[in-house]
Amino acid sequence: QVQLVESGGGLVQPGGSLRLSCAASGNIFRINAMRWYCQALVKQRELVAAIRSDGITNYADSVKGRFTISRDNAKNTVSLQMNSLNPEDTAVYYCNAFIMNTTYTGGDYWGQGTQVTVSS
């Protein structure tokens, strides 16, 4: 069984930084793209950043230059370094990945979400 577990959310002042981490565990054969989404109150979930298995990244326009996504393929982890945070970044952040397990069955997996609150 495969699962994703996030950590690193919390309360931060405007202009501050946070680092989110997500670890995949279970019967993993291969992890394709890994992504971070966010969902603010009364808004739809939206893509924040993505990273392919070869390290190619892409970002939402709103976070370009402020957030950095990275992954460690050996540890099956993905991180999101968030700098220059502002109140509009307040949301629940979700880790997502397409993972093929050891029986060669692929699936789209989500973490439980971690709250990020930017407020003075």
Side-chain angles (χ1 to χ4, degrees), residues 41-91:
L41 282 175
V42 302
K43 288 189 176 181
Q44 290 187 331
R45 193 172 297 187
E46 57 186 29
L47 179 66
V48 176
I51 184 167
R52 297 180 352 184
S53 57
D54 59 3
I56 300 296
T57 59
N58 69 280
Y59 297 91
D61 288 342
S62 60
V63 306
K64 282 180 181 176
R66 300 189 299 123
F67 291 11
T68 302
I69 189 171
S70 59
R71 66 189 284 171
D72 185 329
N73 291 331
K75 296 181 179 179
N76 292 331
T77 59
V78 62
S79 297
L80 185 68
Q81 177 66 41
M82 305 187 294
N83 299 328
S84 302
L85 286 161
N86 58 63
E88 290 71 36
D89 297 317
T90 295

Side-chain angles (χ1 to χ4, degrees), residues 90-106:
T90 295
V92 177
Y93 284 72
Y94 296 91
C95 175
N96 165 262
F98 187 88
I99 299 174
M100 183 171 290
N101 64 24
T102 52
T103 63
Y104 307 112
T105 301

